[in-house]
Amino acid sequence: MTTTIAYDELVALLRQVFLRHGCSETVAASLAENMAGAERDGAHSHGIFRIKGNLASLDTGWVDGKAVPVLEDVAPGMLRADGRNGFSLPVLELAREPLMAKARANGIAVLSVRKAHHFSAVWPDIEPFARQGFLALAMINSMASVVPHGGHRKVYGTNPFGFAAPREGTDPLVFDQASSAMANGDVQIARREGRQLPPGTGVDRHGNPTTDPAAILDGGALLPFGGHKGSSIAMMMEIMGAALAGGDYSFEIDWSAHPGAATPHGGQTYILIDPQRGAVNSFADRLEVLIAEIHDAGQSRLPGDRRYATRRKSLANGIAVDEAALEEIRALAAG
């Protein structure tokens, strides 16, 4: 059974839940807006489905819900941040204006983040930058769950990559995608719903191919998408996300002393580019030429279109959520 709830009401409930589990006011507000936004946009694998794991991360001390990040200005075009074992969202909020100022001044700017638990999907991190006129890239590594191509044990995380580009007079072009055959959250949802996965998604604990999500999650591993190609991208995310930022590699993350914790404590790198500095003509016009050709070739929907359509529908009619899940959140908010 499903029901509907207004975005602002869901934000308020989630904010109260995070406050009750040890977050500061600012952190609770950031997490609540992000999680409600994912649910609003139909990104269910990063919405309220993740509440249990996020709360376990807080309750077991794996993440500090009151952490205050530190931002370092290390070069004309580079910022470096220490999340102090908190969530990544407060880091991005702290760095947003200084990072955009550097990109405007230099044409490009880089933010590297260490000791911060990446929260939710990647597209909410970079969509705001595109709405301010920037090209934005995000490179994230996470907990080990992916076997490298030709390997026999987990080394990489699902290691998502995100990209956003501004468009004139409409929503930006935004996508993020895992370098694994499937996002870990989607595997968890498939297990919960009793669904099998497509062939080529993962292996069991013995390295045998499997379509059983439980076998992948319980000692098994995901496969990279596209064989060696996805494996190379996952490796790049380890280098750009962890090595550059001074964070943990996916295989170094050990949460065995924090049962139930589910937030990846890796590294993150964000790059902003001012397209007006790179283009010799109108970037906006040239982008629309490409998009028109894509549509003319038969691709009717661009990355992000479904999400924006769901957002508009949710804001007009309320967010459709599972009734039992909403009651659980109400109970958590009430203490």
Side-chain angles (χ1 to χ4, degrees):
M1 292 287 291
T2 61
T3 185
T4 58
I5 183 172
Y7 170 75
D8 289 343
E9 185 181 352
L10 183 56
V11 169
L13 282 172
L14 290 168
R15 174 183 163 277
Q16 189 62 28
V17 171
F18 286 119
L19 284 173
R20 288 189 175 278
H21 286 262
C23 289
S24 66
E25 288 277 356
T26 55
V27 171
S30 294
L31 302 188
E33 289 169 9
N34 184 289
M35 183 172 281
E39 204 67 38
R40 172 201 65 200
D41 290 5
H44 303 301
S45 63
H46 290 87
I48 59 176
F49 165 74
R50 291 188 179 256
I51 191 73
K52 182 178 179 180
N54 289 322
L55 296 185
S57 290
L58 288 162
D59 295 345
T60 61
W62 172 242
V63 61
D64 181 359
K66 291 185 170 67
V68 178
V70 174
L71 188 64
E72 305 169 81
D73 190 335
V74 294
M78 191 160 190
L79 295 168
R80 190 166 61 202
D82 185 333
R84 297 297 180 92
N85 198 41
F87 287 110
S88 60
L89 297 180
V91 179
L92 278 171
E93 290 181 9
L94 177 66
R96 181 170 289 115
E97 291 300 329
L99 187 64
M100 290 193 296
K102 282 184 177 291
R104 291 189 188 100
N106 301 302
I108 188 168
V110 179
L111 167 68
S112 67
V113 182
R114 65 190 186 277
K115 297 181 181 177
H117 298 249
H118 189 261
F119 188 87
S120 190
V122 178
W123 58 263
D125 297 342
I126 55 177
E127 182 184 321
F129 293 122
R131 292 192 180 278
Q132 293 297 316
F134 296 101
L135 289 163
L137 298 94
M139 287 157 277
I140 317 293
N141 77 302
S142 57
M143 63 281 191
S145 56
V146 177
V147 177
H149 182 64
H152 61 274
R153 61 178 175 83
K154 296 180 288 189
V155 174
Y156 303 139
T158 54
N159 291 9
F161 171 84
F163 175 77
R167 294 181 67 190
E168 191 71 37
T170 189
D171 291 315
L173 181 70
V174 184
F175 72 83
D176 75 72
Q177 60 186 54
S179 50
S180 55
M182 182 176 287
N184 200 55
D186 289 327
V187 180
Q188 294 177 49
I189 288 178
R191 177 170 65 174
R192 183 182 67 181
E193 295 178 349
R195 289 187 286 107
Q196 293 293 294
L197 301 172
T201 300
V203 295
D204 63 19
R205 64 175 62 247
H206 305 295
N208 299 314
T210 182
T211 60
D212 181 0
I216 293 173
L217 294 169
D218 299 332
L222 287 160
L223 292 169
F225 81 84
H228 67 278
K229 296 180 180 181
S231 190
S232 296
I233 292 173
M235 180 179 65
M236 181 173 71
M237 296 302 102
E238 293 287 343
I239 295 168
M240 294 297 292
L244 179 62
D248 289 337
Y249 287 119
S250 298
F251 62 86
E252 293 177 326
I253 297 173
D254 179 11
W255 50 22
S256 57
H258 305 270
T263 51
H265 183 259
Q268 301 128 54
T269 292
Y270 303 89
I271 300 174
L272 296 193
I273 300 170
D274 182 351
Q276 304 311 319
R277 299 297 190 92
V280 295
N281 44 27
S282 169
F283 171 82
D285 290 345
R286 291 297 293 157
L287 178 57
E288 293 310 310
V289 170
L290 173 62
I291 289 173
E293 187 71 10
I294 291 170
H295 286 322
D296 188 58
Q299 181 177 329
S300 60
R301 191 177 73 203
L302 293 172
D305 282 355
R306 181 168 57 185
R307 186 166 60 246
Y308 294 135
T310 304
R311 181 182 302 179
R312 290 189 289 269
K313 182 179 177 181
S314 295
L315 291 176
N317 305 319
I319 303 169
V321 296
D322 180 78
E323 201 170 71
L326 183 58
E327 286 308 307
E328 183 178 354
I329 290 171
R330 292 189 192 280
L332 288 168

PDB file of all heavy atoms in Angstrom, residues 123-156:
ATOM      1  N   TRP A 123      24.037  12.744  -7.989  1.00  0.00           N
ATOM      2  CA  TRP A 123      23.435  13.854  -8.723  1.00  0.00           C
ATOM      3  C   TRP A 123      22.986  15.025  -7.840  1.00  0.00           C
ATOM      4  O   TRP A 123      23.088  16.184  -8.282  1.00  0.00           O
ATOM      5  CB  TRP A 123      22.280  13.370  -9.620  1.00  0.00           C
ATOM      6  CG  TRP A 123      21.152  12.671  -8.934  1.00  0.00           C
ATOM      7  CD1 TRP A 123      20.967  11.336  -8.803  1.00  0.00           C
ATOM      8  CD2 TRP A 123      20.031  13.282  -8.265  1.00  0.00           C
ATOM      9  NE1 TRP A 123      19.822  11.049  -8.101  1.00  0.00           N
ATOM     10  CE2 TRP A 123      19.221  12.234  -7.762  1.00  0.00           C
ATOM     11  CE3 TRP A 123      19.633  14.599  -8.046  1.00  0.00           C
ATOM     12  CZ2 TRP A 123      18.045  12.454  -7.054  1.00  0.00           C
ATOM     13  CZ3 TRP A 123      18.466  14.837  -7.339  1.00  0.00           C
ATOM     14  CH2 TRP A 123      17.680  13.778  -6.854  1.00  0.00           C
ATOM     15  N   PRO A 124      22.502  14.812  -6.589  1.00  0.00           N
ATOM     16  CA  PRO A 124      22.149  15.989  -5.788  1.00  0.00           C
ATOM     17  C   PRO A 124      23.362  16.853  -5.426  1.00  0.00           C
ATOM     18  O   PRO A 124      23.216  18.040  -5.143  1.00  0.00           O
ATOM     19  CB  PRO A 124      21.522  15.386  -4.520  1.00  0.00           C
ATOM     20  CG  PRO A 124      21.112  14.007  -4.894  1.00  0.00           C
ATOM     21  CD  PRO A 124      22.138  13.559  -5.880  1.00  0.00           C
ATOM     22  N   ASP A 125      24.554  16.255  -5.439  1.00  0.00           N
ATOM     23  CA  ASP A 125      25.760  17.014  -5.136  1.00  0.00           C
ATOM     24  C   ASP A 125      26.076  18.022  -6.232  1.00  0.00           C
ATOM     25  O   ASP A 125      26.572  19.125  -5.950  1.00  0.00           O
ATOM     26  CB  ASP A 125      26.978  16.076  -4.993  1.00  0.00           C
ATOM     27  CG  ASP A 125      26.859  15.101  -3.845  1.00  0.00           C
ATOM     28  OD1 ASP A 125      26.031  15.324  -2.946  1.00  0.00           O
ATOM     29  OD2 ASP A 125      27.618  14.106  -3.840  1.00  0.00           O
ATOM     30  N   ILE A 126      25.840  17.634  -7.486  1.00  0.00           N
ATOM     31  CA  ILE A 126      26.333  18.441  -8.606  1.00  0.00           C
ATOM     32  C   ILE A 126      25.255  19.215  -9.355  1.00  0.00           C
ATOM     33  O   ILE A 126      25.570  20.192 -10.049  1.00  0.00           O
ATOM     34  CB  ILE A 126      27.122  17.564  -9.599  1.00  0.00           C
ATOM     35  CG1 ILE A 126      26.292  16.374 -10.071  1.00  0.00           C
ATOM     36  CG2 ILE A 126      28.425  17.087  -8.952  1.00  0.00           C
ATOM     37  CD1 ILE A 126      26.995  15.503 -11.102  1.00  0.00           C
ATOM     38  N   GLU A 127      23.985  18.826  -9.220  1.00  0.00           N
ATOM     39  CA  GLU A 127      22.928  19.578  -9.896  1.00  0.00           C
ATOM     40  C   GLU A 127      22.935  21.061  -9.523  1.00  0.00           C
ATOM     41  O   GLU A 127      22.785  21.924 -10.411  1.00  0.00           O
ATOM     42  CB  GLU A 127      21.559  18.955  -9.596  1.00  0.00           C
ATOM     43  CG  GLU A 127      20.420  19.652 -10.309  1.00  0.00           C
ATOM     44  CD  GLU A 127      19.046  19.098  -9.947  1.00  0.00           C
ATOM     45  OE1 GLU A 127      18.913  17.852  -9.803  1.00  0.00           O
ATOM     46  OE2 GLU A 127      18.105  19.898  -9.817  1.00  0.00           O
ATOM     47  N   PRO A 128      23.131  21.430  -8.235  1.00  0.00           N
ATOM     48  CA  PRO A 128      23.146  22.860  -7.898  1.00  0.00           C
ATOM     49  C   PRO A 128      24.233  23.645  -8.618  1.00  0.00           C
ATOM     50  O   PRO A 128      24.038  24.824  -8.947  1.00  0.00           O
ATOM     51  CB  PRO A 128      23.380  22.862  -6.377  1.00  0.00           C
ATOM     52  CG  PRO A 128      22.876  21.539  -5.915  1.00  0.00           C
ATOM     53  CD  PRO A 128      23.224  20.590  -7.018  1.00  0.00           C
ATOM     54  N   PHE A 129      25.377  23.033  -8.880  1.00  0.00           N
ATOM     55  CA  PHE A 129      26.451  23.730  -9.594  1.00  0.00           C
ATOM     56  C   PHE A 129      26.044  24.000 -11.039  1.00  0.00           C
ATOM     57  O   PHE A 129      26.315  25.078 -11.580  1.00  0.00           O
ATOM     58  CB  PHE A 129      27.741  22.909  -9.559  1.00  0.00           C
ATOM     59  CG  PHE A 129      28.359  22.775  -8.192  1.00  0.00           C
ATOM     60  CD1 PHE A 129      28.584  21.532  -7.634  1.00  0.00           C
ATOM     61  CD2 PHE A 129      28.720  23.899  -7.468  1.00  0.00           C
ATOM     62  CE1 PHE A 129      29.152  21.401  -6.383  1.00  0.00           C
ATOM     63  CE2 PHE A 129      29.294  23.794  -6.208  1.00  0.00           C
ATOM     64  CZ  PHE A 129      29.522  22.538  -5.655  1.00  0.00           C
ATOM     65  N   ALA A 130      25.403  23.022 -11.681  1.00  0.00           N
ATOM     66  CA  ALA A 130      24.952  23.222 -13.060  1.00  0.00           C
ATOM     67  C   ALA A 130      23.895  24.318 -13.128  1.00  0.00           C
ATOM     68  O   ALA A 130      23.843  25.086 -14.102  1.00  0.00           O
ATOM     69  CB  ALA A 130      24.412  21.913 -13.627  1.00  0.00           C
ATOM     70  N   ARG A 131      23.066  24.420 -12.112  1.00  0.00           N
ATOM     71  CA  ARG A 131      22.047  25.480 -12.099  1.00  0.00           C
ATOM     72  C   ARG A 131      22.677  26.860 -11.925  1.00  0.00           C
ATOM     73  O   ARG A 131      22.033  27.877 -12.204  1.00  0.00           O
ATOM     74  CB  ARG A 131      21.019  25.208 -11.002  1.00  0.00           C
ATOM     75  CG  ARG A 131      20.152  23.985 -11.286  1.00  0.00           C
ATOM     76  CD  ARG A 131      18.959  23.862 -10.378  1.00  0.00           C
ATOM     77  NE  ARG A 131      18.169  22.667 -10.701  1.00  0.00           N
ATOM     78  CZ  ARG A 131      17.283  22.588 -11.669  1.00  0.00           C
ATOM     79  NH1 ARG A 131      17.025  23.660 -12.405  1.00  0.00           N
ATOM     80  NH2 ARG A 131      16.620  21.470 -11.910  1.00  0.00           N
ATOM     81  N   GLN A 132      23.926  26.896 -11.490  1.00  0.00           N
ATOM     82  CA  GLN A 132      24.667  28.158 -11.397  1.00  0.00           C
ATOM     83  C   GLN A 132      25.557  28.392 -12.618  1.00  0.00           C
ATOM     84  O   GLN A 132      26.362  29.315 -12.635  1.00  0.00           O
ATOM     85  CB  GLN A 132      25.528  28.165 -10.128  1.00  0.00           C
ATOM     86  CG  GLN A 132      24.746  28.194  -8.836  1.00  0.00           C
ATOM     87  CD  GLN A 132      23.926  29.457  -8.677  1.00  0.00           C
ATOM     88  OE1 GLN A 132      24.393  30.553  -8.945  1.00  0.00           O
ATOM     89  NE2 GLN A 132      22.671  29.298  -8.246  1.00  0.00           N
ATOM     90  N   GLY A 133      25.424  27.528 -13.645  1.00  0.00           N
ATOM     91  CA  GLY A 133      26.128  27.756 -14.894  1.00  0.00           C
ATOM     92  C   GLY A 133      27.412  26.993 -15.088  1.00  0.00           C
ATOM     93  O   GLY A 133      28.128  27.222 -16.071  1.00  0.00           O
ATOM     94  N   PHE A 134      27.746  26.062 -14.188  1.00  0.00           N
ATOM     95  CA  PHE A 134      29.005  25.343 -14.271  1.00  0.00           C
ATOM     96  C   PHE A 134      28.826  23.929 -14.820  1.00  0.00           C
ATOM     97  O   PHE A 134      27.800  23.281 -14.569  1.00  0.00           O
ATOM     98  CB  PHE A 134      29.656  25.238 -12.886  1.00  0.00           C
ATOM     99  CG  PHE A 134      30.050  26.554 -12.306  1.00  0.00           C
ATOM    100  CD1 PHE A 134      29.253  27.161 -11.344  1.00  0.00           C
ATOM    101  CD2 PHE A 134      31.216  27.193 -12.702  1.00  0.00           C
ATOM    102  CE1 PHE A 134      29.599  28.375 -10.797  1.00  0.00           C
ATOM    103  CE2 PHE A 134      31.577  28.416 -12.164  1.00  0.00           C
ATOM    104  CZ  PHE A 134      30.772  29.009 -11.206  1.00  0.00           C
ATOM    105  N   LEU A 135      29.840  23.445 -15.532  1.00  0.00           N
ATOM    106  CA  LEU A 135      29.999  22.028 -15.756  1.00  0.00           C
ATOM    107  C   LEU A 135      30.551  21.443 -14.460  1.00  0.00           C
ATOM    108  O   LEU A 135      31.462  22.028 -13.859  1.00  0.00           O
ATOM    109  CB  LEU A 135      30.984  21.751 -16.895  1.00  0.00           C
ATOM    110  CG  LEU A 135      30.524  22.086 -18.313  1.00  0.00           C
ATOM    111  CD1 LEU A 135      31.718  22.157 -19.244  1.00  0.00           C
ATOM    112  CD2 LEU A 135      29.535  21.042 -18.800  1.00  0.00           C
ATOM    113  N   ALA A 136      30.024  20.320 -14.021  1.00  0.00           N
ATOM    114  CA  ALA A 136      30.449  19.742 -12.749  1.00  0.00           C
ATOM    115  C   ALA A 136      30.682  18.249 -12.900  1.00  0.00           C
ATOM    116  O   ALA A 136      29.908  17.557 -13.566  1.00  0.00           O
ATOM    117  CB  ALA A 136      29.402  20.001 -11.658  1.00  0.00           C
ATOM    118  N   LEU A 137      31.754  17.785 -12.286  1.00  0.00           N
ATOM    119  CA  LEU A 137      32.065  16.363 -12.263  1.00  0.00           C
ATOM    120  C   LEU A 137      32.297  15.943 -10.824  1.00  0.00           C
ATOM    121  O   LEU A 137      32.835  16.716 -10.011  1.00  0.00           O
ATOM    122  CB  LEU A 137      33.317  16.042 -13.076  1.00  0.00           C
ATOM    123  CG  LEU A 137      33.288  16.353 -14.575  1.00  0.00           C
ATOM    124  CD1 LEU A 137      33.875  17.742 -14.823  1.00  0.00           C
ATOM    125  CD2 LEU A 137      34.091  15.315 -15.348  1.00  0.00           C
ATOM    126  N   ALA A 138      31.887  14.718 -10.507  1.00  0.00           N
ATOM    127  CA  ALA A 138      32.101  14.162  -9.170  1.00  0.00           C
ATOM    128  C   ALA A 138      32.632  12.748  -9.304  1.00  0.00           C
ATOM    129  O   ALA A 138      32.143  11.970 -10.127  1.00  0.00           O
ATOM    130  CB  ALA A 138      30.787  14.151  -8.380  1.00  0.00           C
ATOM    131  N   MET A 139      33.649  12.425  -8.505  1.00  0.00           N
ATOM    132  CA  MET A 139      34.271  11.105  -8.517  1.00  0.00           C
ATOM    133  C   MET A 139      34.349  10.591  -7.094  1.00  0.00           C
ATOM    134  O   MET A 139      34.989  11.219  -6.247  1.00  0.00           O
ATOM    135  CB  MET A 139      35.646  11.179  -9.165  1.00  0.00           C
ATOM    136  CG  MET A 139      35.571  11.362 -10.680  1.00  0.00           C
ATOM    137  SD  MET A 139      37.055  12.093 -11.401  1.00  0.00           S
ATOM    138  CE  MET A 139      36.748  13.828 -11.099  1.00  0.00           C
ATOM    139  N   ILE A 140      33.676   9.474  -6.825  1.00  0.00           N
ATOM    140  CA  ILE A 140      33.489   8.982  -5.464  1.00  0.00           C
ATOM    141  C   ILE A 140      33.931   7.520  -5.389  1.00  0.00           C
ATOM    142  O   ILE A 140      33.616   6.730  -6.277  1.00  0.00           O
ATOM    143  CB  ILE A 140      31.999   9.044  -5.043  1.00  0.00           C
ATOM    144  CG1 ILE A 140      31.342  10.361  -5.483  1.00  0.00           C
ATOM    145  CG2 ILE A 140      31.840   8.794  -3.553  1.00  0.00           C
ATOM    146  CD1 ILE A 140      31.842  11.593  -4.807  1.00  0.00           C
ATOM    147  N   ASN A 141      34.634   7.160  -4.312  1.00  0.00           N
ATOM    148  CA  ASN A 141      34.830   5.724  -4.062  1.00  0.00           C
ATOM    149  C   ASN A 141      34.076   5.342  -2.799  1.00  0.00           C
ATOM    150  O   ASN A 141      33.731   6.204  -1.983  1.00  0.00           O
ATOM    151  CB  ASN A 141      36.316   5.360  -3.964  1.00  0.00           C
ATOM    152  CG  ASN A 141      36.931   5.742  -2.631  1.00  0.00           C
ATOM    153  OD1 ASN A 141      36.920   6.903  -2.240  1.00  0.00           O
ATOM    154  ND2 ASN A 141      37.487   4.767  -1.934  1.00  0.00           N
ATOM    155  N   SER A 142      33.768   4.056  -2.649  1.00  0.00           N
ATOM    156  CA  SER A 142      32.939   3.628  -1.518  1.00  0.00           C
ATOM    157  C   SER A 142      33.485   2.333  -0.937  1.00  0.00           C
ATOM    158  O   SER A 142      34.661   2.015  -1.142  1.00  0.00           O
ATOM    159  CB  SER A 142      31.480   3.453  -1.981  1.00  0.00           C
ATOM    160  OG  SER A 142      31.402   2.526  -3.045  1.00  0.00           O
ATOM    161  N   MET A 143      32.660   1.592  -0.189  1.00  0.00           N
ATOM    162  CA  MET A 143      33.143   0.369   0.453  1.00  0.00           C
ATOM    163  C   MET A 143      33.305  -0.746  -0.575  1.00  0.00           C
ATOM    164  O   MET A 143      32.588  -0.795  -1.572  1.00  0.00           O
ATOM    165  CB  MET A 143      32.193  -0.070   1.565  1.00  0.00           C
ATOM    166  CG  MET A 143      30.814  -0.429   1.116  1.00  0.00           C
ATOM    167  SD  MET A 143      29.789   1.026   0.822  1.00  0.00           S
ATOM    168  CE  MET A 143      28.168   0.285   0.638  1.00  0.00           C
ATOM    169  N   ALA A 144      34.244  -1.644  -0.331  1.00  0.00           N
ATOM    170  CA  ALA A 144      34.554  -2.708  -1.288  1.00  0.00           C
ATOM    171  C   ALA A 144      33.351  -3.614  -1.518  1.00  0.00           C
ATOM    172  O   ALA A 144      32.805  -4.189  -0.575  1.00  0.00           O
ATOM    173  CB  ALA A 144      35.739  -3.532  -0.793  1.00  0.00           C
ATOM    174  N   SER A 145      32.950  -3.725  -2.779  1.00  0.00           N
ATOM    175  CA  SER A 145      31.817  -4.580  -3.133  1.00  0.00           C
ATOM    176  C   SER A 145      31.910  -5.064  -4.571  1.00  0.00           C
ATOM    177  O   SER A 145      31.006  -5.739  -5.036  1.00  0.00           O
ATOM    178  CB  SER A 145      30.498  -3.817  -2.930  1.00  0.00           C
ATOM    179  OG  SER A 145      30.496  -2.610  -3.661  1.00  0.00           O
ATOM    180  N   VAL A 146      33.013  -4.750  -5.248  1.00  0.00           N
ATOM    181  CA  VAL A 146      33.149  -5.063  -6.669  1.00  0.00           C
ATOM    182  C   VAL A 146      34.475  -5.771  -6.935  1.00  0.00           C
ATOM    183  O   VAL A 146      35.536  -5.326  -6.470  1.00  0.00           O
ATOM    184  CB  VAL A 146      33.063  -3.780  -7.526  1.00  0.00           C
ATOM    185  CG1 VAL A 146      33.282  -4.090  -9.006  1.00  0.00           C
ATOM    186  CG2 VAL A 146      31.728  -3.080  -7.321  1.00  0.00           C
ATOM    187  N   VAL A 147      34.396  -6.862  -7.678  1.00  0.00           N
ATOM    188  CA  VAL A 147      35.588  -7.605  -8.081  1.00  0.00           C
ATOM    189  C   VAL A 147      36.204  -6.937  -9.307  1.00  0.00           C
ATOM    190  O   VAL A 147      35.495  -6.651 -10.272  1.00  0.00           O
ATOM    191  CB  VAL A 147      35.224  -9.066  -8.430  1.00  0.00           C
ATOM    192  CG1 VAL A 147      36.444  -9.828  -8.917  1.00  0.00           C
ATOM    193  CG2 VAL A 147      34.612  -9.763  -7.233  1.00  0.00           C
ATOM    194  N   PRO A 148      37.516  -6.657  -9.322  1.00  0.00           N
ATOM    195  CA  PRO A 148      38.123  -6.137 -10.546  1.00  0.00           C
ATOM    196  C   PRO A 148      38.062  -7.169 -11.665  1.00  0.00           C
ATOM    197  O   PRO A 148      38.004  -8.376 -11.403  1.00  0.00           O
ATOM    198  CB  PRO A 148      39.562  -5.839 -10.126  1.00  0.00           C
ATOM    199  CG  PRO A 148      39.806  -6.682  -8.933  1.00  0.00           C
ATOM    200  CD  PRO A 148      38.492  -6.829  -8.231  1.00  0.00           C
ATOM    201  N   HIS A 149      38.060  -6.702 -12.890  1.00  0.00           N
ATOM    202  CA  HIS A 149      37.942  -7.600 -14.035  1.00  0.00           C
ATOM    203  C   HIS A 149      39.060  -8.653 -14.007  1.00  0.00           C
ATOM    204  O   HIS A 149      40.241  -8.329 -13.920  1.00  0.00           O
ATOM    205  CB  HIS A 149      38.030  -6.807 -15.340  1.00  0.00           C
ATOM    206  CG  HIS A 149      37.878  -7.657 -16.563  1.00  0.00           C
ATOM    207  ND1 HIS A 149      36.720  -8.331 -16.857  1.00  0.00           N
ATOM    208  CD2 HIS A 149      38.758  -7.953 -17.571  1.00  0.00           C
ATOM    209  CE1 HIS A 149      36.869  -8.993 -17.984  1.00  0.00           C
ATOM    210  NE2 HIS A 149      38.093  -8.792 -18.436  1.00  0.00           N
ATOM    211  N   GLY A 150      38.659  -9.917 -14.016  1.00  0.00           N
ATOM    212  CA  GLY A 150      39.622 -11.009 -13.969  1.00  0.00           C
ATOM    213  C   GLY A 150      40.085 -11.374 -12.579  1.00  0.00           C
ATOM    214  O   GLY A 150      40.876 -12.305 -12.412  1.00  0.00           O
ATOM    215  N   GLY A 151      39.582 -10.658 -11.568  1.00  0.00           N
ATOM    216  CA  GLY A 151      39.996 -10.908 -10.189  1.00  0.00           C
ATOM    217  C   GLY A 151      39.126 -11.938  -9.501  1.00  0.00           C
ATOM    218  O   GLY A 151      38.167 -12.463 -10.077  1.00  0.00           O
ATOM    219  N   HIS A 152      39.440 -12.189  -8.216  1.00  0.00           N
ATOM    220  CA  HIS A 152      38.700 -13.211  -7.468  1.00  0.00           C
ATOM    221  C   HIS A 152      38.188 -12.713  -6.122  1.00  0.00           C
ATOM    222  O   HIS A 152      37.587 -13.480  -5.386  1.00  0.00           O
ATOM    223  CB  HIS A 152      39.595 -14.441  -7.246  1.00  0.00           C
ATOM    224  CG  HIS A 152      40.843 -14.156  -6.464  1.00  0.00           C
ATOM    225  ND1 HIS A 152      42.002 -13.705  -7.068  1.00  0.00           N
ATOM    226  CD2 HIS A 152      41.104 -14.239  -5.140  1.00  0.00           C
ATOM    227  CE1 HIS A 152      42.928 -13.537  -6.138  1.00  0.00           C
ATOM    228  NE2 HIS A 152      42.406 -13.844  -4.969  1.00  0.00           N
ATOM    229  N   ARG A 153      38.429 -11.421  -5.768  1.00  0.00           N
ATOM    230  CA  ARG A 153      37.877 -10.903  -4.520  1.00  0.00           C
ATOM    231  C   ARG A 153      37.588  -9.410  -4.674  1.00  0.00           C
ATOM    232  O   ARG A 153      38.097  -8.734  -5.571  1.00  0.00           O
ATOM    233  CB  ARG A 153      38.827 -11.143  -3.342  1.00  0.00           C
ATOM    234  CG  ARG A 153      40.175 -10.477  -3.460  1.00  0.00           C
ATOM    235  CD  ARG A 153      41.021 -10.743  -2.220  1.00  0.00           C
ATOM    236  NE  ARG A 153      42.368 -10.204  -2.345  1.00  0.00           N
ATOM    237  CZ  ARG A 153      42.695  -8.934  -2.093  1.00  0.00           C
ATOM    238  NH1 ARG A 153      41.758  -8.078  -1.706  1.00  0.00           N
ATOM    239  NH2 ARG A 153      43.931  -8.525  -2.230  1.00  0.00           N
ATOM    240  N   LYS A 154      36.789  -8.890  -3.745  1.00  0.00           N
ATOM    241  CA  LYS A 154      36.376  -7.484  -3.796  1.00  0.00           C
ATOM    242  C   LYS A 154      37.562  -6.542  -3.569  1.00  0.00           C
ATOM    243  O   LYS A 154      38.343  -6.740  -2.644  1.00  0.00           O
ATOM    244  CB  LYS A 154      35.317  -7.215  -2.737  1.00  0.00           C
ATOM    245  CG  LYS A 154      34.019  -7.973  -2.934  1.00  0.00           C
ATOM    246  CD  LYS A 154      33.010  -7.658  -1.856  1.00  0.00           C
ATOM    247  CE  LYS A 154      33.379  -8.278  -0.521  1.00  0.00           C
ATOM    248  NZ  LYS A 154      32.298  -8.142   0.469  1.00  0.00           N
ATOM    249  N   VAL A 155      37.665  -5.519  -4.382  1.00  0.00           N
ATOM    250  CA  VAL A 155      38.673  -4.472  -4.227  1.00  0.00           C
ATOM    251  C   VAL A 155      38.032  -3.086  -4.329  1.00  0.00           C
ATOM    252  O   VAL A 155      38.278  -2.209  -3.507  1.00  0.00           O
ATOM    253  CB  VAL A 155      39.790  -4.598  -5.292  1.00  0.00           C
ATOM    254  CG1 VAL A 155      40.756  -3.399  -5.211  1.00  0.00           C
ATOM    255  CG2 VAL A 155      40.561  -5.893  -5.114  1.00  0.00           C
ATOM    256  N   TYR A 156      37.206  -2.894  -5.345  1.00  0.00           N
ATOM    257  CA  TYR A 156      36.606  -1.588  -5.614  1.00  0.00           C
ATOM    258  C   TYR A 156      35.239  -1.447  -4.936  1.00  0.00           C
ATOM    259  O   TYR A 156      34.595  -2.437  -4.606  1.00  0.00           O
ATOM    260  CB  TYR A 156      36.396  -1.387  -7.115  1.00  0.00           C
ATOM    261  CG  TYR A 156      37.636  -1.516  -7.956  1.00  0.00           C
ATOM    262  CD1 TYR A 156      37.591  -2.176  -9.186  1.00  0.00           C
ATOM    263  CD2 TYR A 156      38.851  -0.957  -7.559  1.00  0.00           C
ATOM    264  CE1 TYR A 156      38.714  -2.282  -9.983  1.00  0.00           C
ATOM    265  CE2 TYR A 156      39.974  -1.062  -8.344  1.00  0.00           C
ATOM    266  CZ  TYR A 156      39.913  -1.739  -9.567  1.00  0.00           C
ATOM    267  OH  TYR A 156      41.023  -1.847 -10.356  1.00  0.00           O
TER     268      TYR A 156
END
